[in-house]
Amino acid sequence: MTPGWCQRAFRGEARQLQEVRRYVGGLLTDCPDRDAVITCVAELAANAIMHTHSGNGGTFVVHVQRSTNGLRIAVADAGAATQPAIRVAQTENLLEGGRGLAIVAALSEQMGVDGDARGRTVWAEFRWPEQQPVARTSPEVEPARVLVELGTKFGAWVCWFGNQTRQWWAMPRRPNPFLISASSAHDLARRIAVIEQSGT
């Protein structure tokens, strides 16, 4: 990727989340983990809207900083009385509290919080081998072809392959989504099928 730094302010409204996705996606057309990064930014933005003063008529700012073999995203909010609780949850329990931050922790290399009640910045970093070709994942899989197959079979799910995690990931397109992962596309498809059959 070409190194660079960009930022943009958004109103603290839920309807802005789609615009956040479009903005970040447009910056990262050549990013190896584009879908995972967009998911993380959207989760951090949603937290800023729901849990900080940004959601009470305020704004939040999305920062994207790119290097040759890495990326740092950050969402700066208007602050809140409580500190965000960053913890890694089991993927099956992501419907419990802290789901959004757990998703970010699972998909990123590392994450953290700067600032205080007057204003905080929650950030996450992604890295991949410098020699890794852009938009490729691993020599033993053909992710683009497999993702098309998964998308055709499971249209109600967002699926992607994480270059950093080396895992296949999926999240249902619904108001209260959750995250699942598997070591192969076949196992991911099997897990999705089980979940759809069970109606959970």
Side-chain angles (χ1 to χ4, degrees), residues 128-169:
W128 40 86
E130 189 167 359
Q131 69 273 16
Q132 180 176 324
V134 170
R136 299 291 295 181
T137 52
S138 73
E140 68 270 18
V141 297
E142 298 179 43
R145 175 182 60 79
V146 175
L147 287 173
V148 169
E149 294 174 358
L150 288 171
T152 301
K153 187 173 183 180
F154 304 108
W157 291 72
V158 179
C159 303
W160 68 90
F161 179 81
N163 284 326
Q164 175 61 46
T165 61
R166 315 307 294 173
Q167 293 281 306
W168 290 84
W169 298 85

Side-chain angles (χ1 to χ4, degrees), residues 34-46:
R34 181 174 181 267
D35 289 342
V37 174
I38 293 173
T39 296
C40 290
V41 173
E43 290 293 343
L44 295 182

